[in-house]
Amino acid sequence: MMKIRKMGLGLIVLVMLLTFATSVSASSTRTDTGTTTHSGGNLALQYYAYDSHIHGWMYATVYRVTASGDVYVGSGSIEGGMPHGDGIRTGNLYLGNQPAGTYKYVITLPSGWMGPSTVWSTY
């Protein structure tokens, strides 16, 4: 009888630990950055990530890099994971007519997602 109680208690502790570990991993995020040199005109950033069945949001922000600091250009976000299924999440930022210079993106996403991948383009 004592072995069954210990085993039951051990099982409850294991379930609690797994629940805590899952909630921690789903709530932790990581950040990815990158730059491009733009010759002027319409600029766009397309960003992708696989959500790995983990619910969360991917946020992307673009800045123009200047000598006096970064200047905000635009941002977007996309939700993924449960209850929205799983798959590749794609966001598009059409940033309009931008002057020539260096631009950088900052993407924050759940740690369990795979990616991100990015594509800068003009249109």
Side-chain angles (χ1 to χ4, degrees), residues 11-87:
L11 184 58
I12 290 170
V13 169
L14 182 61
V15 168
M16 289 173 57
L17 286 172
L18 289 173
T19 302
F20 177 72
T22 302
S23 64
V24 168
S25 67
S27 66
S28 61
T29 61
R30 60 189 165 81
T31 301
D32 186 69
T33 61
T35 62
T36 190
T37 302
H38 179 53
S39 59
N42 290 324
L43 181 63
L45 175 69
Q46 193 169 44
Y47 52 101
Y48 311 83
Y50 181 75
D51 66 27
S52 305
H53 298 280
I54 298 170
H55 181 257
W57 288 83
M58 178 169 47
Y59 302 96
T61 306
V62 173
Y63 301 93
R64 184 166 36 92
V65 179
T66 69
S68 58
D70 297 341
V71 176
Y72 174 83
V73 177
S75 62
S77 62
I78 187 160
E79 185 178 17
M82 301 300 181
H84 303 285
D86 67 289

